Amino acid sequence: MPYDPKNPMKDRITDIGPRHYEEFMPPVIKKNFGKWLYHEILEPGVLMHKAESGDEVYTVRVGAARLMSIELIRDAMKIADKHCEGYIRWTTRNNIEFMVDNKSKLEPLKADLKANPMFPIGGTGACVTNIVHTQGWIHCHTPAIDASGIVKSVMDDLFKHFQSMDLPAQVRIALACCLNMCGAVHCSDIAMLGFHRKPPFVQHEVISNICEIPLAVAACPTGAIKPATVEGKKSVSVNAARCMFCGNCYTMCPAMPLMDAEADCVVIMVGGKISNRISAPKFSKVVIPALPSNPPRWPEVVAAVRNILETYAKDANKYERLGEWVERIGWEKFFEKCNLPFDVKTIDDYTLAYNTLRTTTQFKFS
Amino acid sequence: MAKFETPLLDELEKGPWPSFVSDIKRQAKKKPVLEDLLGQVELSYKDKETHWKHGGIVGVFGYGGGVIGRYSDMPEKFPGVAHFHTMRVNQPSGLYYSTKYLEQILDIWERRGSGLTNMHGSTGDIVLLGTTTPQLEEVFWELTHNLNTDLGGSGSNLRTPSCCLGMSRCEWACFDTQAACHHMTNRYQDELHRPAFPYKFKFKFSGCPNDCVAAIARSDMAYIGTWRDDIRIDQAAVQGYVKGELKPNAGAHAGRDWGKFDIVKEVINLCPTKCMSWDGKELKINNKECVRCMHCINVMPRALRPGLDKGCSILFGAKAPILDGQRLATLVVPFIKMEPPYEEVHALIEKVFDWWMEHGKNRERLGELIQRLSLKEFLKAIEVKAIPQMVKEPRSNPYIFWEEKDVPGGWTRDLAAFRKKHPL
């Protein structure tokens, strides 16, 4: 029986959760579940995992824009049907993985992938793997910048690092199109963040009809929004000097838009990480407060990311993540080596600011 | 012939990285609504501003999440995307698919949606991008009836839990992340579909401290695998690395000549607690001093393996900066066995939910509530004893909120007796 709009609750099924993952594992994965011994990266994008049973699984990883059409997914599925017994998986960073259970199946799989430029092999080891990102102009209502277009431009530029393993350690790049940060931008080696720079409009004539004014007032973390009566109508006033452009008011109230082509910009943050390897996980730090948002190829952003990446790649020790490198050389040296101006705006003045100020006479001269 | 000229987007068809523009253009031949999408995005590229309206409450009956309403602010010009709602479909743990199953999802989306997806959304769902209001119930009906598949979370509820691929293909997984993720997703279906929380709440399950799902940075409750016995050592394999027979870090650095592998420089000296030694013959680890950072294991995967007494650490309160600033998760449970029936974990989760729902303000994440009311109050609510592992260092101010019961004699005093001793 198909869905009957006149009787929506009839035979309704709810709260069943996702399908069980075991249904979707290739046989070699299912057989050796929990019994893997070690892995090797045979070449960029190609992994071999060895099981206690002696079985081996060969994985080919390919990059993908996370924004994918069903036709492109079907292209990937055709390859999976031909080579991988009809199984396919995605990684947490939006790469696609194809698995085969025998080395002899590897080259034919690679050949079919290489025949389609939409499936570049890479993204393993000390490389720049896929950029984790958000929706941007393709589907979001709060972005300060696009997402997919900047990611495409940056990955085009860093493509050789996707297909080689020549960096001191893995470099995780992320992009969020506003500071809601639907992605781990706050803990990435290099992060691009869309940011508004004009306080919200207040549409006095409609605000009381379409927003809960107390919620809009409460939404402001700095107390910049106050209830006000404007031309006899209930509304709010915004103290522009206290606005930190977080956009939380707009999230709560559509009558307070912030976006502005002239002002919206890209913030560059660096030195964050997730892994507990060697040093503790760290936040990304703002090193460039604003770069212009210049579609369609964002040349200023692309150049800034490349500059930081290449300076790091030249200077860091083996295994050293970008943030660990900066901590070793000191932030004053980071700005010097990357030839970046130090801007007073990069000094924190928010809730945890004091923890970031230097409280020692130990420093390096520039 | 394309409906709209897209000279700016066309620039993104160049270059080696897969082009979403070329992909959408091809799909647009079968799904003409995507012509309008390209037209609207081209306009955004020209205007440098989005053309999606603010929100819009749409969904399926009985659920308060899983569907995100989205409307164009130029519906006359781009009627194909006038309504362009997102549906979040709960992904299987570990993101494995059979093509047979995936094809059924794609087939629904070909008939009832735009043909565009995110594989996957940031939280982990399969994101079906762009459909109209009347299709929402139809898609939900087909997903539940034909595919035995449910929607994921959105809004102020439990967001779709996610995990790394865990034991399915990783030798380092210290618990079955997929089983735990699947179990918790099913146990907390009500919390996932019906918003009753102050704000979003995320569970993420990583099998080891490498934390491939960013649990420590992105989840209100992070489960990160660890072990409490000794790292297993294969001394012969250690020799293999030292002699250059095995590639360090599984070959992850093979793209550059870093010189001969030097175990002292690359492993012993980089150990954060300096608990390892190498005398040229034998690798020794003082496991009591080990903090399980994974570095030595990452570098020598054939020689070193996590111990056998495995479980996970549980940390709370991570989030991105909005609103009160970014937070990494705080260690609260150093070690717990993460195995079915997970009863101890359920009890903990439910105490956390209760406390947050009672005290959390609108749009206050758990980490912010802990900041506002203190870790001490959180520990009291979840009935966990304070231990030094929870802090980097003890407080450096003495402004302790003493409670009356902890002070000798309590707070009731005799003022007359005091003044007799100390006249005013």
Side-chain angles (χ1 to χ4, degrees):
Chain A
M1 275 291 288
Y3 174 68
D4 176 7
K6 290 195 198 92
N7 202 352
M9 303 315 278
K10 187 167 181 285
D11 298 331
R12 198 170 185 79
I13 297 173
T14 65
D15 300 86
I16 54 173
R19 280 277 279 270
H20 199 279
Y21 53 92
E22 270 182 14
E23 294 177 59
F24 306 131
M25 288 179 179
V28 64
I29 293 290
K30 208 167 172 176
K31 179 185 163 198
N32 297 290
F33 190 95
K35 306 235 180 278
W36 297 100
L37 270 181
Y38 63 86
H39 74 282
E40 278 175 24
I41 305 171
L42 304 179
E43 61 188 59
V46 180
L47 301 149
M48 187 278 288
H49 287 80
K50 183 95 173 177
E52 287 169 12
S53 66
D55 287 353
E56 292 171 347
V57 62
Y58 293 82
T59 302
V60 182
R61 183 176 292 172
V62 305
R66 77 159 195 170
L67 182 62
M68 295 187 88
S69 74
I70 57 178
E71 271 197 70
L72 184 60
I73 299 171
R74 283 188 174 126
D75 289 345
M77 290 185 351
K78 266 180 220 146
I79 294 172
D81 282 336
K82 184 172 165 195
H83 298 276
C84 313
E85 301 173 81
Y87 295 96
I88 188 168
R89 85 169 281 270
W90 270 259
T91 72
T92 53
R93 299 189 74 89
N94 311 319
N95 295 309
I96 310 176
E97 288 186 339
F98 298 87
M99 282 164 268
V100 292
D101 59 9
N102 193 300
K103 198 169 187 179
S104 65
K105 300 176 182 172
L106 191 55
E107 289 307 317
L109 166 63
K110 276 166 57 189
D112 276 355
L113 290 168
K114 281 180 181 166
N116 187 340
M118 293 300 272
F119 300 129
I121 298 172
T124 53
C127 74
V128 172
T129 187
N130 211 337
I131 296 180
V132 166
H133 67 95
T134 56
Q135 301 285 22
W137 294 333
I138 208 90
H139 209 247
C140 184
H141 66 298
T142 66
I145 56 173
D146 188 34
S148 298
I150 306 179
V151 166
K152 160 78 175 145
S153 305
V154 170
M155 283 310 285
D156 277 342
D157 191 65
L158 301 181
F159 190 67
K160 71 169 178 158
H161 294 295
F162 178 78
Q163 295 202 308
S164 60
M165 301 187 289
D166 57 356
L167 298 171
Q170 63 267 52
V171 174
R172 298 288 181 252
I173 305 183
L175 179 142
C177 47
C178 81
L179 94 172
N180 279 319
M181 291 195 188
C182 311
V185 162
H186 61 306
C187 294
S188 294
D189 294 276
I190 302 178
M192 299 164 276
L193 171 66
F195 211 77
H196 302 292
R197 287 190 295 172
K198 290 190 186 178
F201 289 103
V202 182
Q203 238 174 314
H204 297 298
E205 69 284 5
V206 295
I207 187 168
S208 63
N209 299 333
I210 60 174
C211 306
E212 297 283 347
I213 287 180
L215 285 182
V217 170
C220 183
T222 66
I225 302 177
K226 294 266 186 296
T229 305
V230 179
E231 291 171 8
K233 289 197 164 182
K234 280 187 183 159
S235 183
V236 299
S237 66
V238 178
N239 178 350
R242 291 181 74 167
C243 181
M244 61 175 196
F245 316 100
C246 70
N248 201 44
C249 52
Y250 181 61
T251 300
M252 300 309 289
C253 174
M256 301 183 71
L258 288 88
M259 66 175 164
D260 184 280
E262 214 177 17
D264 292 351
C265 66
V266 184
V267 183
I268 304 292
M269 304 174 74
V270 308
K273 77 197 245 308
I274 301 294
S275 161
N276 289 273
R277 183 176 184 173
I278 304 180
S279 67
K282 309 176 199 303
F283 294 124
S284 323
K285 284 92 178 167
V286 174
V287 293
I288 304 178
L291 288 172
S293 170
N294 258 338
R297 300 285 315 190
W298 288 271
E300 297 86 352
V301 176
V302 169
V305 171
R306 189 200 315 128
N307 170 39
I308 292 166
L309 181 80
E310 285 180 356
T311 309
Y312 155 76
K314 250 191 308 208
D315 205 58
N317 294 333
K318 189 178 179 187
Y319 305 116
E320 210 166 42
R321 292 288 290 265
L322 202 149
E324 293 168 330
W325 163 65
V326 181
E327 283 176 8
R328 177 170 59 79
I329 64 171
W331 282 97
E332 60 270 51
K333 288 286 160 192
F334 168 83
F335 284 95
E336 188 182 311
K337 283 177 192 270
C338 292
N339 199 20
L340 288 173
F342 185 78
D343 188 316
V344 70
K345 292 192 273 301
T346 61
I347 299 179
D348 195 356
D349 50 15
Y350 196 47
T351 48
L352 308 168
Y354 179 75
N355 299 340
T356 67
L357 307 180
R358 189 165 302 199
T359 52
T360 164
T361 57
Q362 298 180 8
F363 64 89
K364 295 179 184 173
F365 287 104
S366 298
Chain B
M1 186 61 196
K3 188 171 167 187
F4 298 98
E5 294 280 303
T6 54
L8 294 170
L9 288 176
D10 294 350
E11 289 298 312
L12 292 169
E13 294 199 83
K14 300 169 185 169
W17 188 249
S19 167
F20 67 99
V21 176
S22 306
D23 183 22
I24 297 174
K25 279 187 179 178
R26 182 174 69 146
Q27 186 68 58
K29 289 179 189 143
K30 288 191 184 157
K31 301 296 297 183
V33 297
L34 295 178
E35 296 278 7
D36 285 5
L37 181 70
L38 287 166
Q40 178 172 317
V41 176
E42 177 73 13
L43 185 62
S44 280
Y45 270 57
K46 193 164 152 261
D47 291 348
K48 301 207 233 177
E49 287 170 359
T50 190
H51 280 286
W52 297 106
K53 271 193 205 178
H54 193 289
I57 309 284
V58 287
V60 296
F61 286 110
Y63 280 11
V67 181
I68 323 294
R70 189 65 72 225
Y71 301 89
S72 170
D73 67 9
M74 311 210 92
E76 289 81 25
K77 198 162 182 197
F78 308 111
V81 295
H83 303 211
F84 207 65
H85 311 317
T86 297
M87 301 189 80
R88 293 185 181 163
V89 178
N90 201 149
Q91 80 287 1
S93 288
L95 308 177
Y96 289 89
Y97 298 96
S98 69
T99 54
K100 205 174 141 197
Y101 172 69
L102 201 49
E103 180 55 40
Q104 291 174 288
I105 293 182
L106 302 188
D107 181 53
I108 295 176
W109 205 235
E110 180 152 21
R111 284 185 290 112
R112 302 196 176 280
S114 71
L116 203 57
T117 76
N118 288 148
M119 295 296 282
H120 296 77
S122 296
T123 297
D125 299 276
I126 303 164
V127 174
L128 302 178
L129 215 56
T131 193
T132 56
T133 308
Q135 292 294 350
L136 298 172
E137 289 289 351
E138 302 276 359
V139 172
F140 180 64
W141 179 274
E142 291 186 13
L143 283 174
T144 50
H145 284 75
N146 305 341
L147 270 65
N148 188 23
T149 294
D150 209 334
L151 295 181
S154 65
S156 291
N157 57 17
L158 178 66
R159 296 300 180 86
T160 313
S162 70
C163 62
C164 68
L165 58 50
M167 292 179 160
S168 70
R169 206 195 60 200
C170 182
E171 65 268 33
W172 298 326
C174 294
F175 69 100
D176 187 344
T177 56
Q178 292 166 284
C181 182
H182 189 79
H183 170 86
M184 295 305 172
T185 306
N186 280 294
R187 180 176 171 91
Y188 296 107
Q189 281 287 295
D190 192 34
E191 287 79 359
L192 197 154
H193 296 304
R194 295 171 194 86
F197 287 157
Y199 200 14
K200 63 181 91 165
F201 196 97
K202 297 186 178 185
F203 285 152
K204 291 192 187 292
F205 304 85
S206 272
C208 84
N210 284 328
D211 195 1
C212 288
V213 280
I216 205 164
R218 301 187 53 205
S219 55
D220 301 271
M221 189 165 179
Y223 306 79
I224 302 176
T226 194
W227 65 95
R228 58 182 170 183
D229 54 348
D230 294 353
I231 291 175
R232 288 174 283 166
I233 308 180
D234 175 344
Q235 295 289 353
V238 176
Q239 291 287 350
Y241 284 103
V242 171
K243 287 179 189 152
E245 294 159 3
L246 300 173
K247 288 184 283 185
N249 220 104
H253 297 263
R256 198 198 287 194
D257 181 8
W258 291 94
K260 191 175 176 292
F261 176 69
D262 179 342
I263 191 172
V264 174
K265 191 173 144 202
E266 299 185 33
V267 180
I268 310 294
N269 290 352
L270 290 179
C271 170
T273 62
K274 306 286 179 280
C275 70
M276 309 180 80
S277 63
W278 170 251
D279 61 6
K281 289 191 207 102
E282 197 186 358
L283 179 71
K284 288 198 185 118
I285 302 176
N286 180 359
N287 282 280
K288 289 256 176 286
E289 294 299 313
C290 173
V291 289
R292 302 163 312 283
C293 84
M294 292 298 294
H295 176 65
C296 60
I297 297 174
N298 288 337
V299 174
M300 303 193 291
R302 293 182 69 163
L304 302 176
R305 304 173 73 190
L308 290 165
D309 185 9
K310 298 174 190 178
C312 81
S313 302
I314 299 179
L315 302 86
F316 289 96
K319 56 180 284 293
I322 194 143
L323 248 184
D324 276 351
Q326 67 283 13
R327 310 188 72 81
L328 285 158
T330 299
L331 179 73
V332 168
V333 179
F335 187 90
I336 192 165
K337 282 284 181 188
M338 196 64 183
E339 291 161 1
Y342 306 106
E343 279 162 358
E344 209 184 332
V345 185
H346 297 156
L348 178 63
I349 291 169
E350 285 150 33
K351 278 183 244 176
V352 173
F353 285 171
D354 285 348
W355 183 70
W356 182 51
M357 285 163 75
E358 191 181 335
H359 298 283
K361 296 194 230 172
N362 185 36
R363 284 170 65 74
E364 187 173 46
R365 291 282 289 271
L366 179 69
E368 289 162 329
L369 178 63
I370 294 173
Q371 170 74 21
R372 181 163 65 83
L373 294 186
S374 80
L375 187 68
K376 184 177 85 174
E377 289 301 313
F378 178 60
L379 295 177
K380 201 200 289 177
I382 63 170
E383 299 172 275
V384 171
K385 197 171 164 289
I387 49 169
Q389 282 81 354
M390 295 173 182
V391 294
K392 285 181 199 152
E393 59 186 30
R395 66 193 303 154
S396 44
N397 66 67
Y399 301 142
I400 298 161
F401 288 100
W402 286 100
E403 289 181 45
E404 187 172 13
K405 68 177 169 54
D406 295 328
V407 180
W411 288 347
T412 311
R413 285 185 284 167
D414 183 344
L415 178 62
F418 178 84
R419 280 295 169 222
K420 204 171 165 191
K421 228 162 81 187
H422 307 284
L424 188 64

